[in-house]
Amino acid sequence: MNGTPMNSVDIDNCDCAALVKHYNDSITDVVHCHPTDEEKFHAELGRKTDSYAAQTLIATEHGFAHVAVTQDKHRRPGSRGALRFMAFSPKHYREGYALVRASETWAREHGAPRMGAFYRD
């Protein structure tokens, strides 16, 4: 979209310090959002549940998206793509939009015909 490289990043081997910085910077002054540290952040990203058929991080210079493909109630992969979390610098709106598009593309490539974001309370 704006020439910013998008990289799919392995959750277990990500640069957690950079992601925590993006996260903490993006939630500054947001009600009910609290800063975190690398250990807690990595634990949440790496949380493996049987409802995910696949998950990844899509990272850019100014933000990231945590994307998963869920399984349906019969444990078949590819029921829905889920944008679990996304953070980007407000100064880089186009990059944020590109993260959404890249997340949708990744989910479809991993068997999800539908995409949802923040659909759970």
Side-chain angles (χ1 to χ4, degrees):
M1 174 139 203
N2 64 358
T4 302
M6 298 277 166
N7 299 310
S8 182
V9 179
D10 178 40
I11 290 173
D12 293 328
N13 298 312
C14 67
D15 180 359
C16 219
L19 297 177
V20 167
K21 181 176 176 5
H22 281 301
Y23 171 80
N24 287 335
D25 288 350
S26 70
I27 58 104
T28 300
D29 299 325
V30 177
V31 178
H32 303 299
C33 291
H34 307 285
T36 192
D37 60 33
E38 289 181 45
E39 184 178 330
K40 288 178 187 175
F41 193 83
H42 194 266
E44 180 60 28
L45 284 178
R47 184 171 49 126
K48 305 235 188 293
T49 68
D50 62 356
S51 64
Y52 297 137
Q55 61 179 329
T56 194
L57 291 169
I58 298 175
T60 68
E61 183 180 353
H62 300 105
F64 69 95
H66 183 194
V67 188
V69 173
T70 63
Q71 297 175 346
D72 69 13
K73 64 183 179 181
H74 302 291
R75 303 284 185 226
R76 293 178 299 215
S79 177
R80 175 186 296 220
L83 183 56
R84 295 199 59 219
F85 188 82
M86 186 173 86
F88 64 93
S89 169
K91 295 177 186 175
H92 296 91
Y93 170 80
R94 289 179 187 252
E95 192 171 309
Y97 182 75
L99 279 168
V100 171
R101 299 299 301 230
S103 297
E104 290 175 326
T105 299
W106 182 90
R108 284 191 180 98
E109 288 172 352
H110 287 82
R114 303 176 299 177
M115 186 74 174
F118 313 112
Y119 55 89
R120 298 173 81 188
D121 290 340

